[in-house]
Amino acid sequence: MNGLIIIQHPLIQHKLTHLRDRKTDHMVFRRLTKELTGFMLYEVMKDYPLKDITIETPLIKCQSHVLAREISIILILRAGLGMVDGLLDLVPSARVGHIGLYRNEETLEPIEYYMKLPNSIANTDVILVDPMLATGGSAAKAIELLKKSGAQSIKFVCMVAAPEGVQNLRKQHPDVSIYTAALDEKLNEQGYILPGLGDAGDRLFGTK
Ligand code: PRP
Ligand code: URA
């Protein structure tokens, strides 16, 4: 589907399998989430613009390249927290913003409870992260809030997506590309992704 990028690198698929496994405890789950997110960033930033600068090596002056624009990493609380360190390891200069959303268990509608974004967000490229794209309600809401705050260039990165969420997000925000490590089968009646990996927040933080 247009605007959906499924990253199928063998290392990513290997780590995702262990994330899905119910026997994986929260300590390993956290480490794998961080590692997998870092690998995904290579693909997400594949076509990232560069600008020329002149530097001096120990031998001569030369033209070289650095990232052309600043990056803002925006995470959806709580589970997005698990993805941030993997990204910051690779782009330590990124600014970080937080959007607090949780799903109402019955309606599955996202409820907003917190937002703190970089002041300069309009002049940066935004990478929005949340491990799970289920109904797509949380990601769509977060993107709406980001756009209202001036964000112009947004990419959404998750680990597991459901077809329902992809369709919903592409419909509401066709300008936002979705990067995922897997497109799963469907949602169950409680809005969980099948086969999925369960509740990402609970598995990351060991709260259940
Ligand atoms: C999870 C997940 C996403 C959301 C995805 O968060 O981290 O934010 O569900 O579902 P959706 O696509 O149907 O909106 P949850 O609401 O469980 O909150 P938590 O991270 O605080 O546990
Ligand atoms: N949120 C999760 O953490 N997991 C799902 O499968 C769906 C929503």
Side-chain angles (χ1 to χ4, degrees), residues 14 49 86:
H14 177 86

Side-chain angles (χ1 to χ4, degrees), residues 1 15 27 30-31 85 134 165:
M1 184 197 277
K15 288 179 194 298
M27 191 174 66
R30 260 201 297 264
R31 176 171 61 73
D85 286 349

Side-chain angles (χ1 to χ4, degrees), residues 11 16 25 31 33 52 61 70 76 78 82 84 108 161 179 183 205:
L11 272 172
L16 182 61
D25 70 17
R31 176 171 61 73
T33 299
D52 294 342
K61 266 193 181 177
E70 266 197 39
I76 301 179
R78 165 183 68 131
V84 173
L108 301 182
Y179 293 81
L183 180 62
F205 298 112

Side-chain angles (χ1 to χ4, degrees), residues 79 103 132-135 187 190-194 196-202:
R103 293 197 309 180
M132 310 305 278
L133 180 64
T135 64
L187 297 178
Q190 289 76 41
Y192 278 87
I193 301 175
L194 296 177
L197 49 73
D199 186 305
D202 285 334

Side-chain angles (χ1 to χ4, degrees), residues 74-77 99-103 108-111 126 128-147 154-158 160-161 164-166 168-170 172-173 176-179:
I74 310 299
L75 58 109
I76 301 179
L77 295 168
I99 298 179
L101 296 173
Y102 70 89
R103 293 197 309 180
L108 301 182
E109 287 298 314
I111 314 286
V126 173
L128 173 67
V129 296
D130 188 326
M132 310 305 278
L133 180 64
T135 64
S138 304
K141 180 74 188 173
I143 293 167
E144 182 192 318
L145 294 167
L146 286 168
K147 287 182 176 172
I154 306 171
K155 291 181 157 92
F156 177 70
V157 183
C158 61
V160 181
E164 295 88 331
V166 171
N168 184 10
L169 200 55
R170 290 299 297 153
Q172 291 196 52
H173 299 287
V176 176
S177 298
I178 303 168
Y179 293 81

Side-chain angles (χ1 to χ4, degrees), residues 36-141:
L36 187 145
T37 313
F39 286 125
M40 288 186 79
L41 190 63
Y42 280 95
E43 186 64 26
V44 174
M45 290 189 66
K46 192 172 73 173
D47 300 318
Y48 204 80
L50 294 168
K51 65 179 177 195
D52 294 342
I53 60 163
T54 306
I55 54 158
E56 275 184 52
T57 74
L59 301 171
I60 54 166
K61 266 193 181 177
C62 74
Q63 283 273 100
S64 200
H65 321 283
V66 289
L67 297 179
R69 287 167 56 82
E70 266 197 39
I71 293 178
S72 295
I73 296 166
I74 310 299
L75 58 109
I76 301 179
L77 295 168
R78 165 183 68 131
L81 276 170
M83 300 174 76
V84 173
D85 286 349
L87 302 178
L88 284 177
D89 277 356
L90 299 174
V91 191
S93 61
R95 295 174 192 274
V96 180
H98 299 76
I99 298 179
L101 296 173
Y102 70 89
R103 293 197 309 180
N104 176 306
E105 279 178 17
E106 266 135 46
T107 64
L108 301 182
E109 287 298 314
I111 314 286
E112 182 192 341
Y113 62 89
Y114 183 78
M115 184 164 82
K116 185 77 186 171
L117 301 176
N119 284 340
S120 58
I121 194 147
N123 304 316
T124 67
D125 283 346
V126 173
I127 300 177
L128 173 67
V129 296
D130 188 326
M132 310 305 278
L133 180 64
T135 64
S138 304
K141 180 74 188 173

